[in-house]
Amino acid sequence: MELHRLMSIFHATGVGSSNNYAYVVSDEATKEAVVIDPANPPECVRSEEDYGHGQLVLTCTLKSFPSTPIIGGKDCAHVTKTPAHSETFSLGKSISITPLHTPCHTQDSICYYMQDDSGSDIKRAVFTGDTLFIGGCGKFFEGDASQMHTALNKTLAALPDDTAVYPGHEYTKNNAKFLVKVDGGNQSIRNLEKFAAENRETQGKFTIGDEKKHNVFMRVTDDLMQKATGETDPVGVMGMLREMKNNM
């Protein structure tokens, strides 16, 4: 993976094994950093070495650095702290981090909302793991449609529309195929389809506001989604959309 600098926020680019993304966020003034979703630690070691040992590691462990604090869900391996929902803590001088509990894909799922007050090109970002993908959502492995509806349409949808979305996997091209099948007349979906066809990586290129336009899992109250699923209750729409995607 290569690292690209965006003011005080860094992100690791280059899709890893299993289409995984891992990210590095660094406060430029203090050089304090976090590594997010290092699902395959050897692919992330270079990032940590390049920018100094981060103060925190979120969601998983880098076994190469056993003294590094690990923040994540209660069931994550080697976790040293599980933050409360909406608890806020700081990274360096400029970045605030707000954990958002989003149980469904796993019951200990946490997304991390970050705000940068340093004048960075990216002022707001959310790292969504296996909950929200660009144009899609995670499977309900340990939860149900009600939990995913809450995670997407109450918790994440409440973030500012200009919040950049950084998911845990690169699934956009496949997600766009499903979106076209459900709502092919939507220009926002067609734009996403075109972008995914022309770009291998889509992380950070779309916002919460964009997802509300093209992601059918965030449009469960839309008449078109109700017609497509034959359901009227938002939770029922969510469940049917997930079943349709699973069977695609």
Side-chain angles (χ1 to χ4, degrees):
M1 296 183 184
E2 296 180 354
L3 288 171
H4 290 254
R5 179 177 174 178
L6 298 173
M7 299 297 288
S8 61
I9 296 181
F10 299 84
H11 67 280
T13 65
V15 181
S17 55
S18 300
N19 291 311
N20 280 307
Y21 281 126
Y23 303 98
V24 176
V25 180
S26 175
D27 177 73
E28 189 170 88
T30 64
K31 305 305 180 185
E32 291 181 0
V34 293
V35 181
I36 303 173
D37 281 341
N40 186 4
E43 295 180 338
C44 306
V45 170
R46 173 175 171 259
S47 303
E48 180 120 346
E49 290 173 342
D50 283 349
Y51 295 103
H53 299 332
Q55 183 182 24
L56 304 168
V57 177
L58 304 182
T59 73
C60 281
T61 179
L62 287 173
K63 292 182 180 178
S64 302
F65 305 101
S67 64
T68 304
I70 301 165
I71 292 179
K74 61 181 178 61
D75 296 326
C76 262
H78 308 292
V79 161
T80 59
K81 178 182 178 181
T82 295
H85 177 72
S86 293
E87 171 188 348
T88 298
F89 53 93
S90 297
L91 175 66
K93 293 182 178 180
S94 302
I95 300 173
S96 66
I97 302 176
T98 303
L100 301 172
H101 289 212
T102 52
C104 184
H105 183 78
T106 62
Q107 284 301 298
D108 67 340
S109 170
I110 301 176
C111 297
Y112 295 93
Y113 172 59
M114 301 191 188
Q115 299 182 83
D116 186 347
D117 298 326
S118 70
S120 168
D121 291 344
I122 297 178
K123 295 178 174 60
R124 283 171 284 276
V126 63
F127 298 86
T128 57
D130 290 328
T131 296
L132 173 65
F133 301 124
I134 305 301
C137 72
K139 292 183 177 180
F140 309 164
F141 284 150
E142 296 182 2
D144 55 28
S146 177
Q147 288 185 318
M148 186 59 77
H149 174 52
T150 296
L152 296 185
N153 299 311
K154 297 182 181 180
T155 302
L156 296 179
L159 298 176
D161 279 352
D162 64 350
T163 302
V165 176
Y166 289 86
H169 296 275
E170 179 54 61
Y171 293 154
T172 309
K173 185 176 290 186
N174 181 264
N175 288 341
K177 292 178 181 178
F178 176 66
L179 299 181
V180 169
K181 181 178 179 180
V182 175
D183 186 14
N186 185 319
Q187 188 57 50
S188 294
I189 289 175
R190 290 297 183 180
N191 293 342
L192 178 66
E193 178 188 37
K194 183 175 186 295
F195 188 91
E198 296 174 351
N199 296 273
R200 176 70 178 93
E201 300 170 30
T202 62
Q203 80 285 22
K205 302 300 183 183
F206 297 91
T207 65
I208 289 293
D210 294 326
E211 292 304 308
K212 291 176 182 178
K213 295 176 182 178
H214 63 225
N215 191 329
V216 296
F217 296 99
M218 295 188 76
R219 296 170 52 209
V220 294
T221 60
D222 189 312
D223 289 344
L224 283 173
M225 296 307 102
Q226 294 178 4
K227 182 177 180 180
T229 61
E231 300 282 346
T232 55
D233 178 75
V235 172
V237 174
M238 174 67 74
M240 184 55 67
L241 285 171
R242 183 66 260 177
E243 185 175 337
M244 291 164 61
K245 178 66 163 61
N246 291 346
N247 294 330
M248 188 181 75

